[in-house]
Amino acid sequence: MTPLYYAISGIMLAWHELFSLFLAPDGGLSWALSIIGLTVVIRVLLIPLFVKQIKSSRNMQLIQPKARELQKKYGHDRQKLAEETMKLYKDSGTNPFASCLPILLQMPIFFALFRVLDQAARGNGRGFLSDERALDFGQSQIFGVIPISETFWRSAPWSADPQTSVMIVALILVLSMTATTFLTQRQLMSKNMPADALSGPYAQQQKILLYVLPVAFGLGGVAFPIGVLLYWTTSNLWTMGQQFYVIRNNPAPGTPAAEAKVERDRAKAIKRGEVPETVEGTVITETGAPESDRRPTQRQQPKKQTRAQRRQGGTPGAGPATKKQGGK
């Protein structure tokens, strides 16, 4: 963990120097903003992995019909099913574990920040943090009342030193962290998954993660310091916004997000006058008037005539034929 201690403390100290230009250097707000700055840097560095995660998740969705066919065909032979499934992943360029990379890579950073903050409260520096700077960091208070290193559990009524303000802020951050985790996963399933991918093993795995991850973070969050909760909540908000942008502008084919994008693109084209608007089969021209129906009219069939009418040269419904002039 030592390299991570140096990386985390170095990034935080750089941000702290920047915020100290207009905030109190020993104040909790400057250190809290430094944690947010650390989060932004980490998430920017993880953007390539996030793009890979999105592509892998999309490929997993698109190959679900083929995966179900393999399950029906080789369901009685697990070894053969595993071989054919891995072959399907290889042929489609899909890595089923790529969707977990961003969160897996963030976990060491998460625990390293937890360790740095926990030791800083005791005056023990880690990485580039000297013992003096670590003590300033660990004992800093946001708005002068909320220690950045305190947790909900240590501030609860059953603790030796109950702190209502810390409990409220920690509870808000825990609920925010849980809600953003749930909404991010829900957004992916409801907007960027085709209907045929909502069933099968992959869909079941996504549904389990939808509820298990928020519960796990919620239960564990009561023991996390305020600074760590701030990091994780900011990271979740970044994930939600980043995923919203990707789903909106580059959705998977055959999903509700793709249909919504088609409608938005069509509305923009109509507004620019590039595509005529159609309403119930009627083409609306640029002037706003309905264009006339260009379909050829149906040819009218001649009515059947009686023998007398044919002899007289008349038409059905007409009066008696006039005699030709000069006839006998």
Side-chain angles (χ1 to χ4, degrees):
M1 299 289 285
T2 300
L4 285 178
Y5 293 154
Y6 278 96
I8 288 174
S9 60
I11 296 173
M12 281 203 319
L13 284 174
W15 281 106
H16 185 261
E17 292 297 325
L18 175 63
F19 291 123
S20 295
L21 296 176
F22 50 90
L23 294 174
D26 56 346
L29 187 57
S30 59
W31 284 110
L33 292 176
S34 300
I35 294 176
I36 295 177
L38 168 68
T39 310
V40 172
V41 171
I42 297 299
R43 293 314 307 261
V44 169
L45 294 176
L46 290 178
I47 284 179
L49 288 178
F50 178 80
V51 174
K52 188 175 182 180
Q53 175 195 17
I54 289 293
K55 291 181 179 180
S56 178
S57 178
R58 177 178 300 178
N59 289 339
M60 287 290 292
Q61 296 167 15
L62 297 178
I63 66 174
Q64 284 309 298
K66 295 181 179 180
R68 284 195 292 271
E69 291 178 4
L70 292 177
Q71 192 172 13
K72 292 179 181 179
K73 187 175 181 180
Y74 302 106
H76 60 282
D77 190 346
R78 292 189 177 183
Q79 182 177 356
K80 184 66 175 178
L81 176 61
E83 293 175 357
E84 292 296 327
T85 302
M86 294 305 298
K87 182 180 179 182
L88 177 63
Y89 289 157
K90 184 178 180 180
D91 294 341
S92 59
T94 303
N95 184 358
F97 302 104
S99 59
C100 302
L101 283 178
I103 191 171
L104 289 178
L105 289 179
Q106 282 193 88
M107 293 310 294
I109 300 171
F110 178 81
F111 288 116
L113 178 61
F114 180 92
R115 183 68 174 172
V116 167
L117 190 53
D118 183 66
Q119 291 297 308
R122 298 176 173 85
N124 300 324
R126 289 288 185 273
F128 291 108
L129 277 174
S130 63
D131 291 345
E132 183 181 357
R133 296 295 297 274
L135 190 62
D136 291 340
F137 175 43
Q139 294 185 352
S140 61
Q141 297 181 348
I142 303 175
F143 304 120
V145 293
I146 304 170
I148 201 170
S149 60
E150 275 298 335
T151 69
F152 178 89
W153 191 261
R154 289 200 299 259
S155 303
W158 54 80
S159 64
D161 184 20
Q163 301 180 56
T164 305
S165 58
V166 175
M167 289 176 56
I168 294 174
V169 173
L171 185 60
I172 291 174
L173 289 175
V174 169
L175 293 177
S176 301
M177 181 178 63
T178 304
T180 49
T181 302
F182 176 84
L183 292 175
T184 301
Q185 188 66 20
R186 180 66 179 172
Q187 181 187 54
L188 179 64
M189 295 183 63
S190 62
K191 298 292 185 180
N192 207 40
M193 289 185 68
D196 55 359
L198 295 176
S199 60
Y202 179 73
Q204 294 300 322
Q205 176 188 359
Q206 295 296 315
K207 291 178 181 178
I208 292 174
L209 292 176
L210 177 64
Y211 296 101
V212 170
L213 285 180
V215 171
F217 285 125
L219 294 177
V222 297
F224 297 153
I226 296 292
V228 176
L229 291 175
L230 190 61
Y231 168 85
W232 201 255
T233 303
T234 305
S235 181
N236 282 356
L237 290 173
W238 178 286
T239 301
M240 182 183 295
Q242 189 172 241
Q243 182 173 274
F244 175 81
Y245 177 83
V246 172
I247 292 176
R248 179 179 174 85
N249 294 280
N250 192 20
T255 61
E259 296 175 1
K261 186 176 186 303
V262 170
E263 290 298 325
R264 289 196 305 272
D265 292 344
R266 181 176 176 274
K268 291 179 182 178
I270 292 173
K271 189 175 181 180
R272 294 193 299 265
E274 298 176 0
V275 177
E277 184 179 2
T278 59
V279 180
E280 295 181 355
T282 304
V283 178
I284 305 300
T285 61
E286 294 182 0
T287 60
E291 187 177 358
S292 60
D293 193 353
R294 298 181 180 179
R295 292 176 298 180
T297 57
Q298 187 176 2
R299 181 182 177 184
Q300 187 175 4
Q301 299 294 332
K303 297 182 179 180
K304 187 177 181 180
Q305 297 179 339
T306 63
R307 182 179 299 176
Q309 289 173 337
R310 289 197 300 270
R311 184 181 302 165
Q312 295 176 1
T315 59
T322 58
K323 293 183 180 180
K324 295 180 180 182
Q325 297 294 333
K328 291 183 180 181

